[in-house]
Amino acid sequence: MVRFAVLGCGRIGRMHARNLARHPRAELAYVYDIVAEAAAETADATGARQAGDVDEILAAGDVDAVLIASSTDTHLDLLVRAVDAGKAVLCEKPIDLDLAKVDTSWQRIKHRKPTVMVGFNRRFDASFQALRDRIHAGEIGKLEQVVITSRDPGPPPLAYIEVSGGLFRDMTIHDFDMARYLLGDMHAVNAVGGNLVDPTIGQAGDIDSAMVSLIAKSGALCQISNSRRCAYGYDQRIEVFGEKGMLQAGNQRLTTVSFWGAAATEARDPVLNFFIERYTPAYHAEIDHFVDCVEKGTAPLVGYQDGREALRLADAALDSMRTGQTIRLD
Ligand SMILES: NC(=O)c1ccc[n+]([C@@H]2O[C@H](COP(=O)([O-])OP(=O)(O)OC[C@H]3O[C@@H](n4cnc5c(N)ncnc54)[C@H](O)[C@@H]3O)[C@@H](O)[C@H]2O)c1
């Protein structure tokens, strides 16, 4: 059994805590949140102990791994402390908002050869894994274009936006990682963004809509489309195009039933509402993979440097949007 503590019991922390509590090869020993009621509720729901502070968890001999699901601006400090305490770490995205700090922190901890995984859950989605496998198997020949559509059903609370690091570092970061997963490293970034959905997001200094173009080192092109609002649910689609054809991964629905009548044909259930519903199997697979890595001492499929590279792309996109220039990365 890999013994876990979860730090941060908000939207995603509670879900991870529940998944860990039910995992056959994991034991959820502790939960902690700076808001004691959030931790207490999660402790009640999972049977874990509620820690009084982070130090109690880091000092605990019966904790092998720490899952960091607290607010973004706390991740890196907790990650470094957990690694220094000898724990394996699964850290939610992004690892931090400051690339220089990400690099100096790595210099500080790398001698420990830590097991650190970043929560880019979409790499564990069966459809996106199949896209990658089939690209690599040569089914569409030379890969030329990737089109990623990623739209949330609605914006998060303003308090979340204010500490999120902005749309590119908070939301597009998943798509930057997916672009790297499918295409490898990038050569150039061009981005535009706007405040089209919610004026209060603009007043907080952020954007809520974006289009990003990437050129991969291979020469292939990628287009990412983001919105913080989508009337028909959580829009998560990827299309990959090559010399021999195209592969598409579409949205998912609760059932496959369709209605045909006088007013509409092919009417189907709405697409699954948001990340917890859409990526349920991926979150389970992510934990499975991390538990494997801790048990076997193997490197995670998505590690610290992947978190760093996605942040580098997010920073380049912000730079491009502000300057109107294409940002070259090499
Ligand atoms: N991989 C994904 O699909 C995914 C989805 C949603 C959120 N996230 C990431 O997870 C993180 C949390 O997001 P959320 O939506 O759950 O936010 P949230 O605001 O609902 O929850 C964050 C929780 O962290 C707690 N917290 C803040 N500082 C803390 C600290 N120092 N120690 C312990 N707890 C602390 C807060 O009290 C809150 O309960 C964010 O970094 C976000 O980017 C990832």
Side-chain angles (χ1 to χ4, degrees):
M1 292 297 243
V2 178
R3 297 162 302 178
F4 277 85
V6 169
L7 304 181
C9 302
R11 287 187 305 174
I12 194 100
R14 283 166 207 222
M15 180 209 73
H16 283 309
R18 282 195 307 271
N19 290 349
L20 285 169
R22 282 189 242 130
H23 196 283
R25 288 180 292 135
E27 182 191 317
L28 181 61
Y30 291 94
V31 293
Y32 172 71
D33 195 295
I34 47 164
V35 176
E37 303 80 63
E41 238 175 70
T42 310
D44 278 353
T46 58
R49 275 167 287 167
Q50 180 183 355
D53 56 28
V54 174
D55 288 331
E56 183 184 341
I57 286 170
L58 299 185
D62 59 348
V63 172
D64 308 306
V66 171
L67 193 158
I68 300 171
S70 48
S71 313
T72 292
D73 54 347
T74 65
H75 288 180
L76 192 53
D77 172 53
L78 293 171
L79 185 155
V80 169
R81 286 170 67 193
V83 167
D84 280 343
K87 313 297 184 195
V89 175
L90 172 51
C91 181
E92 266 306 340
K93 45 56 63 175
I95 30 181
D96 195 64
L97 302 174
D98 180 345
L99 196 59
K101 201 172 138 204
V102 168
D103 287 341
T104 47
S105 297
W106 181 246
Q107 289 312 317
R108 197 185 135 191
I109 59 174
K110 71 174 184 191
H111 70 280
R112 297 189 188 276
K113 298 191 173 32
T115 299
V116 176
M117 179 163 150
V118 180
F120 286 128
N121 55 295
R122 296 182 196 175
R123 288 197 187 208
F124 298 91
D125 178 79
S127 299
F128 300 157
Q129 283 181 338
L131 280 185
R132 186 174 193 263
D133 291 347
R134 292 168 72 160
I135 291 167
H136 284 271
E139 201 171 332
I140 58 167
K142 183 164 69 74
L143 178 59
E144 293 166 351
Q145 297 181 3
V146 171
V147 180
I148 300 174
T149 303
S150 179
R151 302 184 179 119
D152 287 354
L158 213 52
Y160 176 95
I161 296 266
E162 281 163 358
V163 291
S164 70
L167 184 123
F168 291 130
R169 295 189 187 114
D170 177 60
M171 181 173 167
T172 327
I173 200 146
H174 276 294
D175 308 304
F176 290 132
D177 183 66
M178 184 51 60
R180 290 188 63 248
Y181 180 61
L182 297 173
L183 284 159
D185 280 328
M186 296 298 152
H187 160 63
V189 182
N190 199 288
V192 290
N195 185 220
L196 308 175
V197 171
D198 181 348
T200 62
I201 293 178
Q203 283 151 20
D206 199 2
I207 54 169
D208 51 37
S209 309
M211 307 281 275
V212 181
S213 302
L214 303 162
I215 306 174
K217 285 189 172 163
S218 68
L221 308 176
C222 176
Q223 178 73 50
I224 298 168
S225 167
N226 286 153
S227 173
R228 286 280 194 195
R229 187 248 297 112
C230 179
Y232 47 87
Y234 191 37
D235 194 7
Q236 298 287 291
R237 291 172 285 138
I238 302 183
E239 182 177 296
V240 297
F241 175 82
E243 59 181 337
K244 292 191 205 158
M246 174 173 74
L247 295 164
Q248 286 182 319
N251 279 319
Q252 294 180 9
R253 295 170 171 79
L254 192 59
T255 76
T256 59
V257 177
S258 67
F259 166 79
W260 298 65
T265 56
E266 288 192 80
R268 294 193 277 164
D269 288 345
V271 299
L272 291 176
N273 182 55
F274 209 0
F275 55 92
I276 288 181
E277 296 83 10
R278 166 63 181 84
Y279 288 115
T280 301
Y283 290 120
H284 285 295
E286 176 181 78
I287 297 281
D288 275 349
H289 176 70
F290 181 70
V291 167
D292 277 350
C293 293
V294 176
E295 280 179 346
K296 296 175 190 155
T298 49
L301 176 69
V302 51
Y304 193 96
Q305 293 307 323
D306 294 302
R308 186 225 185 242
E309 285 308 303
L311 181 63
R312 191 160 80 107
L313 291 172
D315 284 359
L318 196 57
D319 201 6
S320 171
M321 182 181 74
R322 284 179 176 155
T323 61
Q325 306 287 314
T326 296
I327 307 300
R328 298 196 189 282
L329 296 160
D330 46 8

